[in-house]
Amino acid sequence: MTESAPTTVAGHRPAAQPLPLWRHMLGAELRKIRHRRGETLGETARRAGVSPQYLSEMERGSKDPSSEMIAAVAGALNVTLLDLTLAVADELRAGELRSGSLTAVPAARSPLAATSVLRLTAPAAPAAVGAGPGAALALAA
């Protein structure tokens, strides 16, 4: 009997390298924003109403924070949840494009002024559900 590569629940082979966890990517983005603002953990945590220890755990990705906690920290950093989510999504997409998991090919301009549509083509074995040939993704311009 021939051994085949393990498959996920959806029947797709896993990526060569595991995808980063959302909480790790979120934490890295929060830390990047805080550093860009020149703030300490204590300053941001105080405005967010969380302890510096909790904020540190969020930034390291060791906590899986609730949406309320994410909103509180985002507000303390003066960013919207949408901007924060898009920044994390952009980092995830950039990582997948760099790793070769996905290739972005311009497909068409969306009727929405600020949105471009890219058609994603995947290598022979798609790395993620919905990332197969012909999958479309809308990106904010």
Side-chain angles (χ1 to χ4, degrees):
M1 185 153 133
T2 307
E3 289 241 355
S4 62
T7 57
T8 63
V9 175
H12 295 286
R13 288 188 181 128
Q17 293 181 349
L19 296 175
L21 294 176
W22 173 259
R23 68 177 185 250
H24 293 152
M25 299 298 292
L26 173 68
E29 190 62 31
L30 291 171
R31 178 172 282 161
K32 183 169 42 172
I33 294 167
R34 183 176 60 77
H35 284 174
R36 212 177 306 143
R37 292 173 53 96
E39 295 183 8
T40 66
L41 273 168
E43 291 166 339
T44 303
R46 192 170 20 267
R47 281 197 319 281
V50 299
S51 71
Q53 294 83 3
Y54 189 85
L55 179 56
S56 175
E57 290 172 337
M58 283 178 69
E59 288 184 354
R60 286 178 295 159
S62 62
K63 284 286 184 198
D64 202 359
S66 68
S67 57
E68 291 84 2
M69 289 295 174
I70 297 168
V73 174
L77 292 169
N78 202 29
V79 296
T80 67
L81 285 175
L82 178 60
D83 289 340
L84 185 58
T85 302
L86 288 173
V88 172
D90 287 346
E91 284 296 317
L92 286 167
R93 184 177 305 109
E96 287 193 0
L97 289 172
R98 280 191 302 272
S99 74
S101 298
L102 298 174
T103 305
V105 180
R109 182 81 179 152
S110 168
L112 302 174
T115 304
S116 293
V117 176
L118 296 179
R119 186 152 318 280
L120 300 177
T121 57
V129 176
L137 176 65
L139 301 174

